[in-house]
Amino acid sequence: MTKQSLVMKDDIPVAVVSPEAISEAFPHLSYPPPHSPMAGPSYLKCKKHARRLDLATAGRGNSWIESMIILSPTHVKSSSSSPAGSSSMSAADNVEDYDSWVKTHPSALSNFEEVMATAKGKQVVMFLDYDGTLSPIVLDPDCAFMSDEMREAVREVASHFPTAIVTGRCTEKVASFVKLSELYYAGSHGLDIKGPEEGAYHSKVKVYKSLREIVKIIPGSRVENNKFCLSVHFRCVEEKKWSLLADLVKLVIMDYPKLKLSYGRKVLEIRPNIKWDKGKALEFLLESLGFDGHNNVFPLYIGDDCTDEDAFKVLCDREQGFGIIVSKIAKETKASFSLREPAEVLKFLHCLVEWRQLSEEGSEGTQGSATQYAIE
């Protein structure tokens, strides 16, 4: 799955959500909010210069909301609870689909020896997403804590291999969750990079205040300031209101042509409109570590979101290392292997440490123990 970004076009005016439509949907709310960018003349300006946000699947009016739904799956409904003619996939169909998918994206645990076979004699470099990979996806993003066991596993991995956390969150936020100073942190999808001893590169996005006003219209939505990237979470928003939320966010950034809107797993993200993503961050970190252009490096990248696909693609293009996607459902991906959930990520990290220890000890006769641990 390649990441799909919403790109602003200046030449095609289209209708936007009007205050009247929002007032009808939410009669108990006053809209536009006082002092918001949609109040008074500024809203009229937005309406006059409304611009279409185009997707790769242009021409289908609801393609972007459909993509939001695909990237933010809810619980699969059983066929007995679905109305006649419904397109909802049954639990049995979902399992069958996953079983077919996993044949082309095999488990990195049960195929651990295959994953690491090509790493022999090379420098392993570990890249890890945070949400959904090291911590479970939770309703409140501020409560996405990793377990002490996971933290210790990451610490052990970092003691053997250069290790980086690559995330959409800001470095300070994710570092406060991980609490390991020996790691590299690439926040805001790689725009905010900090090493174990280096400082971070800083910039500023200036629509945070406006977004805070706008999301008040949609109960359950919230904005997270990730310094270079603003995240609008809709994990607690009713699905029928996702479309309205996205329209409101698009209106906020309409007068900011240097920003672009993209979407992920129950999150809308506003980023600088420059060519920079987790794949670029991976390449930058490999270069900074002195591994650019070297054939003796073996990067491993584990992530669960569509934003991680840029990193998976880089590894495919370089023909080095592997991408490992964390998912319980079948999805299009550039990753070579898969893990079902953070619990399996934890097991994989344990296997990686054991593999390294066995390699250092030169205990070739016991190489199978890591695999045995993986499939238990």
mmCIF file of all heavy atoms in Angstrom, residues 4-14 16 45-46 49-56 58 64 205 207 211 246-263 269-274:
data_model
loop_
_atom_site.group_PDB
_atom_site.id
_atom_site.type_symbol
_atom_site.label_atom_id
_atom_site.label_comp_id
_atom_site.label_asym_id
_atom_site.label_seq_id
_atom_site.Cartn_x
_atom_site.Cartn_y
_atom_site.Cartn_z
ATOM 1 N N GLN A 4 -1.186 7.606 0.480
ATOM 2 C CA GLN A 4 -1.922 8.539 -0.375
ATOM 3 C C GLN A 4 -2.010 9.882 0.323
ATOM 4 O O GLN A 4 -2.443 9.969 1.451
ATOM 5 C CB GLN A 4 -3.320 8.011 -0.664
ATOM 6 C CG GLN A 4 -3.307 6.657 -1.367
ATOM 7 C CD GLN A 4 -4.709 6.211 -1.659
ATOM 8 O OE1 GLN A 4 -5.361 6.709 -2.555
ATOM 9 N NE2 GLN A 4 -5.183 5.259 -0.894
ATOM 10 N N SER A 5 -1.564 10.932 -0.350
ATOM 11 C CA SER A 5 -1.595 12.272 0.215
ATOM 12 C C SER A 5 -2.645 13.092 -0.494
ATOM 13 O O SER A 5 -2.920 12.899 -1.669
ATOM 14 C CB SER A 5 -0.225 12.945 0.077
ATOM 15 O OG SER A 5 0.739 12.240 0.823
ATOM 16 N N LEU A 6 -3.211 14.019 0.225
ATOM 17 C CA LEU A 6 -4.184 14.935 -0.340
ATOM 18 C C LEU A 6 -3.439 16.171 -0.818
ATOM 19 O O LEU A 6 -2.830 16.875 -0.036
ATOM 20 C CB LEU A 6 -5.211 15.309 0.731
ATOM 21 C CG LEU A 6 -6.008 14.134 1.282
ATOM 22 C CD1 LEU A 6 -6.809 14.584 2.489
ATOM 23 C CD2 LEU A 6 -6.935 13.569 0.229
ATOM 24 N N VAL A 7 -3.463 16.426 -2.125
ATOM 25 C CA VAL A 7 -2.671 17.497 -2.722
ATOM 26 C C VAL A 7 -3.587 18.614 -3.169
ATOM 27 O O VAL A 7 -4.574 18.386 -3.858
ATOM 28 C CB VAL A 7 -1.871 16.974 -3.929
ATOM 29 C CG1 VAL A 7 -1.007 18.079 -4.501
ATOM 30 C CG2 VAL A 7 -1.026 15.780 -3.508
ATOM 31 N N MET A 8 -3.262 19.813 -2.795
ATOM 32 C CA MET A 8 -4.117 20.943 -3.115
ATOM 33 C C MET A 8 -3.976 21.374 -4.567
ATOM 34 O O MET A 8 -2.883 21.470 -5.100
ATOM 35 C CB MET A 8 -3.787 22.119 -2.200
ATOM 36 C CG MET A 8 -4.195 21.850 -0.770
ATOM 37 S SD MET A 8 -4.155 23.334 0.223
ATOM 38 C CE MET A 8 -4.839 22.701 1.737
ATOM 39 N N LYS A 9 -5.099 21.658 -5.226
ATOM 40 C CA LYS A 9 -5.130 22.180 -6.585
ATOM 41 C C LYS A 9 -5.782 23.561 -6.544
ATOM 42 O O LYS A 9 -6.781 23.776 -5.881
ATOM 43 C CB LYS A 9 -5.949 21.264 -7.493
ATOM 44 C CG LYS A 9 -5.428 19.834 -7.543
ATOM 45 C CD LYS A 9 -4.247 19.709 -8.468
ATOM 46 C CE LYS A 9 -3.834 18.257 -8.648
ATOM 47 N NZ LYS A 9 -2.737 18.099 -9.589
ATOM 48 N N ASP A 10 -5.211 24.508 -7.273
ATOM 49 C CA ASP A 10 -5.720 25.878 -7.238
ATOM 50 C C ASP A 10 -6.785 26.164 -8.286
ATOM 51 O O ASP A 10 -7.483 27.158 -8.208
ATOM 52 C CB ASP A 10 -4.569 26.869 -7.449
ATOM 53 C CG ASP A 10 -3.617 26.871 -6.281
ATOM 54 O OD1 ASP A 10 -4.086 26.677 -5.156
ATOM 55 O OD2 ASP A 10 -2.417 27.076 -6.509
ATOM 56 N N ASP A 11 -6.925 25.302 -9.293
ATOM 57 C CA ASP A 11 -7.690 25.699 -10.463
ATOM 58 C C ASP A 11 -9.082 25.099 -10.554
ATOM 59 O O ASP A 11 -9.786 25.348 -11.514
ATOM 60 C CB ASP A 11 -6.907 25.325 -11.724
ATOM 61 C CG ASP A 11 -6.540 23.850 -11.751
ATOM 62 O OD1 ASP A 11 -6.622 23.228 -10.681
ATOM 63 O OD2 ASP A 11 -6.177 23.354 -12.836
ATOM 64 N N ILE A 12 -9.512 24.286 -9.580
ATOM 65 C CA ILE A 12 -10.807 23.627 -9.711
ATOM 66 C C ILE A 12 -11.659 23.944 -8.483
ATOM 67 O O ILE A 12 -11.532 23.301 -7.452
ATOM 68 C CB ILE A 12 -10.660 22.105 -9.865
ATOM 69 C CG1 ILE A 12 -9.678 21.795 -11.007
ATOM 70 C CG2 ILE A 12 -12.005 21.454 -10.131
ATOM 71 C CD1 ILE A 12 -9.400 20.328 -11.182
ATOM 72 N N PRO A 13 -12.510 24.973 -8.543
ATOM 73 C CA PRO A 13 -13.350 25.305 -7.388
ATOM 74 C C PRO A 13 -14.441 24.268 -7.196
ATOM 75 O O PRO A 13 -15.046 23.800 -8.148
ATOM 76 C CB PRO A 13 -13.941 26.664 -7.767
ATOM 77 C CG PRO A 13 -13.953 26.651 -9.263
ATOM 78 C CD PRO A 13 -12.749 25.869 -9.694
ATOM 79 N N VAL A 14 -14.668 23.863 -5.954
ATOM 80 C CA VAL A 14 -15.745 22.920 -5.638
ATOM 81 C C VAL A 14 -16.436 23.396 -4.370
ATOM 82 O O VAL A 14 -15.969 24.281 -3.676
ATOM 83 C CB VAL A 14 -15.210 21.483 -5.422
ATOM 84 C CG1 VAL A 14 -14.615 20.936 -6.694
ATOM 85 C CG2 VAL A 14 -14.188 21.461 -4.298
ATOM 86 N N VAL A 16 -17.771 23.474 -0.583
ATOM 87 C CA VAL A 16 -17.196 23.119 0.709
ATOM 88 C C VAL A 16 -18.329 23.049 1.721
ATOM 89 O O VAL A 16 -19.457 23.438 1.450
ATOM 90 C CB VAL A 16 -16.146 24.159 1.163
ATOM 91 C CG1 VAL A 16 -14.981 24.177 0.201
ATOM 92 C CG2 VAL A 16 -16.766 25.550 1.262
ATOM 93 N N LYS A 45 -13.694 34.137 2.216
ATOM 94 C CA LYS A 45 -12.499 34.033 1.393
ATOM 95 C C LYS A 45 -12.189 32.569 1.101
ATOM 96 O O LYS A 45 -11.852 32.198 -0.018
ATOM 97 C CB LYS A 45 -11.319 34.695 2.106
ATOM 98 C CG LYS A 45 -10.013 34.616 1.301
ATOM 99 C CD LYS A 45 -8.891 35.254 2.089
ATOM 100 C CE LYS A 45 -7.571 35.124 1.326
ATOM 101 N NZ LYS A 45 -6.446 35.698 2.088
ATOM 102 N N CYS A 46 -12.307 31.718 2.140
ATOM 103 C CA CYS A 46 -12.065 30.288 1.949
ATOM 104 C C CYS A 46 -13.033 29.732 0.929
ATOM 105 O O CYS A 46 -12.662 28.949 0.059
ATOM 106 C CB CYS A 46 -12.230 29.528 3.267
ATOM 107 S SG CYS A 46 -10.795 29.616 4.348
ATOM 108 N N HIS A 49 -12.258 30.877 -2.657
ATOM 109 C CA HIS A 49 -11.053 30.278 -3.232
ATOM 110 C C HIS A 49 -10.949 28.799 -2.889
ATOM 111 O O HIS A 49 -9.851 28.269 -2.749
ATOM 112 C CB HIS A 49 -9.810 31.011 -2.713
ATOM 113 C CG HIS A 49 -9.791 32.460 -3.082
ATOM 114 N ND1 HIS A 49 -9.557 32.896 -4.363
ATOM 115 C CD2 HIS A 49 -9.996 33.577 -2.327
ATOM 116 C CE1 HIS A 49 -9.596 34.220 -4.394
ATOM 117 N NE2 HIS A 49 -9.866 34.650 -3.175
ATOM 118 N N ALA A 50 -12.100 28.162 -2.733
ATOM 119 C CA ALA A 50 -12.088 26.741 -2.379
ATOM 120 C C ALA A 50 -11.327 25.929 -3.409
ATOM 121 O O ALA A 50 -11.450 26.150 -4.590
ATOM 122 C CB ALA A 50 -13.532 26.224 -2.297
ATOM 123 N N ARG A 51 -10.533 24.981 -2.899
ATOM 124 C CA ARG A 51 -9.721 24.172 -3.790
ATOM 125 C C ARG A 51 -9.979 22.697 -3.539
ATOM 126 O O ARG A 51 -10.174 22.284 -2.410
ATOM 127 C CB ARG A 51 -8.229 24.456 -3.549
ATOM 128 C CG ARG A 51 -7.815 25.814 -4.044
ATOM 129 C CD ARG A 51 -6.495 26.225 -3.449
ATOM 130 N NE ARG A 51 -6.648 26.569 -2.042
ATOM 131 C CZ ARG A 51 -5.724 27.184 -1.339
ATOM 132 N NH1 ARG A 51 -4.594 27.498 -1.879
ATOM 133 N NH2 ARG A 51 -5.923 27.460 -0.072
ATOM 134 N N ARG A 52 -9.973 21.954 -4.585
ATOM 135 C CA ARG A 52 -10.223 20.522 -4.459
ATOM 136 C C ARG A 52 -8.985 19.817 -3.920
ATOM 137 O O ARG A 52 -7.877 20.140 -4.295
ATOM 138 C CB ARG A 52 -10.567 19.907 -5.818
ATOM 139 C CG ARG A 52 -10.926 18.439 -5.687
ATOM 140 C CD ARG A 52 -11.416 17.875 -6.995
ATOM 141 N NE ARG A 52 -10.350 17.847 -7.998
ATOM 142 C CZ ARG A 52 -10.527 17.389 -9.229
ATOM 143 N NH1 ARG A 52 -11.708 16.965 -9.612
ATOM 144 N NH2 ARG A 52 -9.527 17.386 -10.093
ATOM 145 N N LEU A 53 -9.206 18.867 -3.012
ATOM 146 C CA LEU A 53 -8.135 18.021 -2.530
ATOM 147 C C LEU A 53 -8.223 16.717 -3.288
ATOM 148 O O LEU A 53 -9.199 15.991 -3.175
ATOM 149 C CB LEU A 53 -8.263 17.799 -1.023
ATOM 150 C CG LEU A 53 -7.970 19.079 -0.261
ATOM 151 C CD1 LEU A 53 -9.154 19.426 0.613
ATOM 152 C CD2 LEU A 53 -6.703 18.960 0.516
ATOM 153 N N ASP A 54 -7.208 16.460 -4.118
ATOM 154 C CA ASP A 54 -7.260 15.384 -5.094
ATOM 155 C C ASP A 54 -6.534 14.159 -4.583
ATOM 156 O O ASP A 54 -5.529 14.272 -3.892
ATOM 157 C CB ASP A 54 -6.567 15.857 -6.373
ATOM 158 C CG ASP A 54 -7.207 15.261 -7.606
ATOM 159 O OD1 ASP A 54 -8.143 14.473 -7.431
ATOM 160 O OD2 ASP A 54 -6.756 15.594 -8.709
ATOM 161 N N LEU A 55 -7.031 12.964 -4.950
ATOM 162 C CA LEU A 55 -6.389 11.708 -4.616
ATOM 163 C C LEU A 55 -5.977 11.004 -5.885
ATOM 164 O O LEU A 55 -6.384 11.377 -6.986
ATOM 165 C CB LEU A 55 -7.352 10.803 -3.838
ATOM 166 C CG LEU A 55 -7.514 11.117 -2.354
ATOM 167 C CD1 LEU A 55 -8.598 10.236 -1.780
ATOM 168 C CD2 LEU A 55 -6.222 10.894 -1.613
ATOM 169 N N ALA A 56 -5.197 9.971 -5.725
ATOM 170 C CA ALA A 56 -4.793 9.192 -6.891
ATOM 171 C C ALA A 56 -6.005 8.600 -7.583
ATOM 172 O O ALA A 56 -6.008 8.359 -8.787
ATOM 173 C CB ALA A 56 -3.846 8.076 -6.468
ATOM 174 N N ALA A 58 -8.856 10.036 -8.254
ATOM 175 C CA ALA A 58 -9.714 11.180 -8.543
ATOM 176 C C ALA A 58 -10.877 10.756 -9.420
ATOM 177 O O ALA A 58 -10.773 9.886 -10.259
ATOM 178 C CB ALA A 58 -8.905 12.269 -9.246
ATOM 179 N N TRP A 64 -11.620 9.444 -0.805
ATOM 180 C CA TRP A 64 -10.774 9.718 0.351
ATOM 181 C C TRP A 64 -11.390 9.190 1.637
ATOM 182 O O TRP A 64 -10.701 8.669 2.503
ATOM 183 C CB TRP A 64 -10.490 11.217 0.442
ATOM 184 C CG TRP A 64 -11.714 12.075 0.519
ATOM 185 C CD1 TRP A 64 -12.386 12.626 -0.518
ATOM 186 C CD2 TRP A 64 -12.407 12.461 1.704
ATOM 187 N NE1 TRP A 64 -13.462 13.333 -0.057
ATOM 188 C CE2 TRP A 64 -13.509 13.253 1.293
ATOM 189 C CE3 TRP A 64 -12.218 12.221 3.057
ATOM 190 C CZ2 TRP A 64 -14.399 13.798 2.199
ATOM 191 C CZ3 TRP A 64 -13.109 12.759 3.968
ATOM 192 C CH2 TRP A 64 -14.186 13.535 3.534
ATOM 193 N N VAL A 205 4.946 24.450 12.632
ATOM 194 C CA VAL A 205 3.728 24.472 11.837
ATOM 195 C C VAL A 205 2.729 25.353 12.570
ATOM 196 O O VAL A 205 2.525 25.204 13.767
ATOM 197 C CB VAL A 205 3.153 23.053 11.655
ATOM 198 C CG1 VAL A 205 1.854 23.103 10.873
ATOM 199 C CG2 VAL A 205 4.156 22.168 10.941
ATOM 200 N N VAL A 207 -0.732 26.062 12.250
ATOM 201 C CA VAL A 207 -2.200 25.954 12.176
ATOM 202 C C VAL A 207 -2.787 25.227 13.384
ATOM 203 O O VAL A 207 -3.980 24.951 13.426
ATOM 204 C CB VAL A 207 -2.637 25.225 10.889
ATOM 205 C CG1 VAL A 207 -2.198 25.985 9.671
ATOM 206 C CG2 VAL A 207 -2.115 23.805 10.853
ATOM 207 N N LEU A 211 -6.852 24.487 14.291
ATOM 208 C CA LEU A 211 -7.374 23.122 14.337
ATOM 209 C C LEU A 211 -8.030 22.824 15.677
ATOM 210 O O LEU A 211 -9.037 22.114 15.750
ATOM 211 C CB LEU A 211 -6.249 22.117 14.069
ATOM 212 C CG LEU A 211 -5.814 21.966 12.610
ATOM 213 C CD1 LEU A 211 -4.599 21.053 12.513
ATOM 214 C CD2 LEU A 211 -6.950 21.414 11.761
ATOM 215 N N ALA A 246 -13.104 15.520 8.333
ATOM 216 C CA ALA A 246 -12.095 15.706 7.295
ATOM 217 C C ALA A 246 -12.345 16.994 6.505
ATOM 218 O O ALA A 246 -11.406 17.723 6.169
ATOM 219 C CB ALA A 246 -12.079 14.503 6.361
ATOM 220 N N ASP A 247 -13.625 17.295 6.225
ATOM 221 C CA ASP A 247 -13.946 18.531 5.504
ATOM 222 C C ASP A 247 -13.532 19.762 6.304
ATOM 223 O O ASP A 247 -13.024 20.741 5.758
ATOM 224 C CB ASP A 247 -15.447 18.588 5.215
ATOM 225 C CG ASP A 247 -15.855 17.660 4.070
ATOM 226 O OD1 ASP A 247 -14.978 17.318 3.262
ATOM 227 O OD2 ASP A 247 -17.035 17.284 4.012
ATOM 228 N N LEU A 248 -13.752 19.710 7.603
ATOM 229 C CA LEU A 248 -13.372 20.837 8.454
ATOM 230 C C LEU A 248 -11.862 21.028 8.483
ATOM 231 O O LEU A 248 -11.356 22.155 8.417
ATOM 232 C CB LEU A 248 -13.905 20.616 9.877
ATOM 233 C CG LEU A 248 -15.431 20.626 10.041
ATOM 234 C CD1 LEU A 248 -15.812 20.272 11.471
ATOM 235 C CD2 LEU A 248 -16.004 21.972 9.658
ATOM 236 N N VAL A 249 -11.133 19.922 8.577
ATOM 237 C CA VAL A 249 -9.676 20.008 8.592
ATOM 238 C C VAL A 249 -9.166 20.562 7.270
ATOM 239 O O VAL A 249 -8.255 21.400 7.235
ATOM 240 C CB VAL A 249 -9.058 18.622 8.882
ATOM 241 C CG1 VAL A 249 -7.537 18.668 8.714
ATOM 242 C CG2 VAL A 249 -9.421 18.165 10.292
ATOM 243 N N LYS A 250 -9.776 20.125 6.166
ATOM 244 C CA LYS A 250 -9.364 20.632 4.856
ATOM 245 C C LYS A 250 -9.596 22.141 4.745
ATOM 246 O O LYS A 250 -8.781 22.855 4.158
ATOM 247 C CB LYS A 250 -10.126 19.899 3.752
ATOM 248 C CG LYS A 250 -9.633 18.480 3.509
ATOM 249 C CD LYS A 250 -10.326 17.832 2.331
ATOM 250 C CE LYS A 250 -11.721 17.406 2.650
ATOM 251 N NZ LYS A 250 -12.385 16.693 1.528
ATOM 252 N N LEU A 251 -10.686 22.618 5.321
ATOM 253 C CA LEU A 251 -10.958 24.057 5.282
ATOM 254 C C LEU A 251 -9.909 24.836 6.067
ATOM 255 O O LEU A 251 -9.516 25.939 5.676
ATOM 256 C CB LEU A 251 -12.354 24.334 5.849
ATOM 257 C CG LEU A 251 -13.528 24.036 4.912
ATOM 258 C CD1 LEU A 251 -14.844 24.222 5.646
ATOM 259 C CD2 LEU A 251 -13.477 24.927 3.683
ATOM 260 N N VAL A 252 -9.454 24.272 7.174
ATOM 261 C CA VAL A 252 -8.460 24.959 7.990
ATOM 262 C C VAL A 252 -7.161 25.171 7.218
ATOM 263 O O VAL A 252 -6.564 26.250 7.248
ATOM 264 C CB VAL A 252 -8.171 24.166 9.288
ATOM 265 C CG1 VAL A 252 -6.977 24.762 10.031
ATOM 266 C CG2 VAL A 252 -9.392 24.184 10.190
ATOM 267 N N ILE A 253 -6.710 24.135 6.497
ATOM 268 C CA ILE A 253 -5.406 24.240 5.832
ATOM 269 C C ILE A 253 -5.509 24.797 4.419
ATOM 270 O O ILE A 253 -4.496 24.912 3.733
ATOM 271 C CB ILE A 253 -4.698 22.874 5.798
ATOM 272 C CG1 ILE A 253 -5.412 21.903 4.858
ATOM 273 C CG2 ILE A 253 -4.560 22.291 7.186
ATOM 274 C CD1 ILE A 253 -4.605 20.647 4.596
ATOM 275 N N MET A 254 -6.723 25.189 4.007
ATOM 276 C CA MET A 254 -6.922 25.634 2.633
ATOM 277 C C MET A 254 -6.071 26.846 2.267
ATOM 278 O O MET A 254 -5.644 27.006 1.131
ATOM 279 C CB MET A 254 -8.399 25.940 2.406
ATOM 280 C CG MET A 254 -8.790 26.081 0.954
ATOM 281 S SD MET A 254 -10.573 25.995 0.774
ATOM 282 C CE MET A 254 -10.847 24.252 1.079
ATOM 283 N N ASP A 255 -5.795 27.707 3.208
ATOM 284 C CA ASP A 255 -4.996 28.892 2.933
ATOM 285 C C ASP A 255 -3.518 28.684 3.237
ATOM 286 O O ASP A 255 -2.763 29.646 3.365
ATOM 287 C CB ASP A 255 -5.526 30.082 3.735
ATOM 288 C CG ASP A 255 -6.782 30.678 3.111
ATOM 289 O OD1 ASP A 255 -6.972 30.499 1.888
ATOM 290 O OD2 ASP A 255 -7.569 31.310 3.835
ATOM 291 N N TYR A 256 -3.119 27.431 3.360
ATOM 292 C CA TYR A 256 -1.723 27.120 3.644
ATOM 293 C C TYR A 256 -1.180 26.190 2.561
ATOM 294 O O TYR A 256 -1.078 24.975 2.745
ATOM 295 C CB TYR A 256 -1.582 26.461 5.023
ATOM 296 C CG TYR A 256 -2.009 27.347 6.162
ATOM 297 C CD1 TYR A 256 -3.339 27.360 6.594
ATOM 298 C CD2 TYR A 256 -1.094 28.178 6.804
ATOM 299 C CE1 TYR A 256 -3.734 28.174 7.644
ATOM 300 C CE2 TYR A 256 -1.489 28.997 7.853
ATOM 301 C CZ TYR A 256 -2.811 28.989 8.264
ATOM 302 O OH TYR A 256 -3.194 29.793 9.300
ATOM 303 N N PRO A 257 -0.821 26.715 1.385
ATOM 304 C CA PRO A 257 -0.379 25.857 0.276
ATOM 305 C C PRO A 257 0.907 25.096 0.556
ATOM 306 O O PRO A 257 1.227 24.145 -0.147
ATOM 307 C CB PRO A 257 -0.193 26.848 -0.881
ATOM 308 C CG PRO A 257 0.027 28.163 -0.218
ATOM 309 C CD PRO A 257 -0.800 28.147 1.024
ATOM 310 N N LYS A 258 1.636 25.495 1.596
ATOM 311 C CA LYS A 258 2.871 24.785 1.926
ATOM 312 C C LYS A 258 2.625 23.588 2.842
ATOM 313 O O LYS A 258 3.564 22.930 3.280
ATOM 314 C CB LYS A 258 3.878 25.742 2.582
ATOM 315 C CG LYS A 258 4.392 26.817 1.632
ATOM 316 C CD LYS A 258 5.442 27.674 2.283
ATOM 317 C CE LYS A 258 5.969 28.723 1.304
ATOM 318 N NZ LYS A 258 7.022 29.567 1.917
ATOM 319 N N LEU A 259 1.335 23.329 3.124
ATOM 320 C CA LEU A 259 0.981 22.170 3.934
ATOM 321 C C LEU A 259 0.215 21.160 3.094
ATOM 322 O O LEU A 259 -0.436 21.518 2.118
ATOM 323 C CB LEU A 259 0.110 22.588 5.129
ATOM 324 C CG LEU A 259 0.735 23.556 6.128
ATOM 325 C CD1 LEU A 259 -0.272 23.891 7.219
ATOM 326 C CD2 LEU A 259 2.005 22.980 6.723
ATOM 327 N N LYS A 260 0.285 19.910 3.469
ATOM 328 C CA LYS A 260 -0.493 18.876 2.796
ATOM 329 C C LYS A 260 -1.166 18.005 3.848
ATOM 330 O O LYS A 260 -0.704 17.893 4.991
ATOM 331 C CB LYS A 260 0.384 18.014 1.883
ATOM 332 C CG LYS A 260 1.407 17.147 2.598
ATOM 333 C CD LYS A 260 2.174 16.295 1.605
ATOM 334 C CE LYS A 260 3.221 15.427 2.300
ATOM 335 N NZ LYS A 260 3.992 14.601 1.344
ATOM 336 N N LEU A 261 -2.274 17.397 3.448
ATOM 337 C CA LEU A 261 -3.056 16.551 4.336
ATOM 338 C C LEU A 261 -2.932 15.106 3.880
ATOM 339 O O LEU A 261 -3.085 14.794 2.707
ATOM 340 C CB LEU A 261 -4.527 16.981 4.306
ATOM 341 C CG LEU A 261 -5.517 16.185 5.158
ATOM 342 C CD1 LEU A 261 -5.190 16.326 6.628
ATOM 343 C CD2 LEU A 261 -6.942 16.663 4.881
ATOM 344 N N SER A 262 -2.615 14.227 4.814
ATOM 345 C CA SER A 262 -2.573 12.800 4.528
ATOM 346 C C SER A 262 -3.326 12.093 5.645
ATOM 347 O O SER A 262 -3.712 12.702 6.649
ATOM 348 C CB SER A 262 -1.129 12.294 4.417
ATOM 349 O OG SER A 262 -0.432 12.483 5.628
ATOM 350 N N TYR A 263 -3.542 10.812 5.478
ATOM 351 C CA TYR A 263 -4.315 10.096 6.477
ATOM 352 C C TYR A 263 -3.711 8.740 6.757
ATOM 353 O O TYR A 263 -3.002 8.154 5.937
ATOM 354 C CB TYR A 263 -5.774 9.950 6.035
ATOM 355 C CG TYR A 263 -5.963 9.477 4.621
ATOM 356 C CD1 TYR A 263 -5.957 8.128 4.311
ATOM 357 C CD2 TYR A 263 -6.140 10.392 3.583
ATOM 358 C CE1 TYR A 263 -6.120 7.696 3.012
ATOM 359 C CE2 TYR A 263 -6.298 9.967 2.279
ATOM 360 C CZ TYR A 263 -6.289 8.606 1.997
ATOM 361 O OH TYR A 263 -6.447 8.182 0.710
ATOM 362 N N GLU A 269 -3.313 13.769 9.185
ATOM 363 C CA GLU A 269 -2.050 14.411 9.507
ATOM 364 C C GLU A 269 -1.762 15.554 8.547
ATOM 365 O O GLU A 269 -1.904 15.410 7.326
ATOM 366 C CB GLU A 269 -0.913 13.388 9.483
ATOM 367 C CG GLU A 269 -1.051 12.359 10.597
ATOM 368 C CD GLU A 269 0.063 11.345 10.613
ATOM 369 O OE1 GLU A 269 0.519 10.928 9.531
ATOM 370 O OE2 GLU A 269 0.479 10.965 11.716
ATOM 371 N N ILE A 270 -1.349 16.685 9.114
ATOM 372 C CA ILE A 270 -0.989 17.861 8.343
ATOM 373 C C ILE A 270 0.523 18.017 8.442
ATOM 374 O O ILE A 270 1.074 18.128 9.538
ATOM 375 C CB ILE A 270 -1.695 19.125 8.866
ATOM 376 C CG1 ILE A 270 -3.220 18.982 8.715
ATOM 377 C CG2 ILE A 270 -1.218 20.363 8.135
ATOM 378 C CD1 ILE A 270 -3.915 18.417 9.924
ATOM 379 N N ARG A 271 1.177 18.013 7.284
ATOM 380 C CA ARG A 271 2.635 18.074 7.265
ATOM 381 C C ARG A 271 3.099 19.140 6.277
ATOM 382 O O ARG A 271 2.356 19.535 5.378
ATOM 383 C CB ARG A 271 3.239 16.741 6.804
ATOM 384 C CG ARG A 271 2.698 15.521 7.474
ATOM 385 C CD ARG A 271 3.492 14.318 6.989
ATOM 386 N NE ARG A 271 2.740 13.091 7.035
ATOM 387 C CZ ARG A 271 3.141 11.956 6.522
ATOM 388 N NH1 ARG A 271 4.288 11.903 5.889
ATOM 389 N NH2 ARG A 271 2.396 10.870 6.613
ATOM 390 N N PRO A 272 4.355 19.572 6.384
ATOM 391 C CA PRO A 272 4.913 20.462 5.361
ATOM 392 C C PRO A 272 4.878 19.778 4.004
ATOM 393 O O PRO A 272 5.143 18.574 3.904
ATOM 394 C CB PRO A 272 6.359 20.691 5.838
ATOM 395 C CG PRO A 272 6.303 20.442 7.311
ATOM 396 C CD PRO A 272 5.291 19.350 7.496
ATOM 397 N N ASN A 273 4.534 20.515 2.968
ATOM 398 C CA ASN A 273 4.408 19.948 1.629
ATOM 399 C C ASN A 273 5.782 19.832 0.969
ATOM 400 O O ASN A 273 6.086 20.488 -0.030
ATOM 401 C CB ASN A 273 3.468 20.804 0.780
ATOM 402 C CG ASN A 273 3.035 20.091 -0.486
ATOM 403 O OD1 ASN A 273 3.254 18.897 -0.637
ATOM 404 N ND2 ASN A 273 2.435 20.830 -1.401
ATOM 405 N N ILE A 274 6.611 18.992 1.567
ATOM 406 C CA ILE A 274 7.938 18.720 1.025
ATOM 407 C C ILE A 274 8.101 17.214 0.931
ATOM 408 O O ILE A 274 7.356 16.457 1.554
ATOM 409 C CB ILE A 274 9.058 19.312 1.915
ATOM 410 C CG1 ILE A 274 8.979 18.740 3.332
ATOM 411 C CG2 ILE A 274 8.988 20.824 1.940
ATOM 412 C CD1 ILE A 274 10.113 19.184 4.233
#
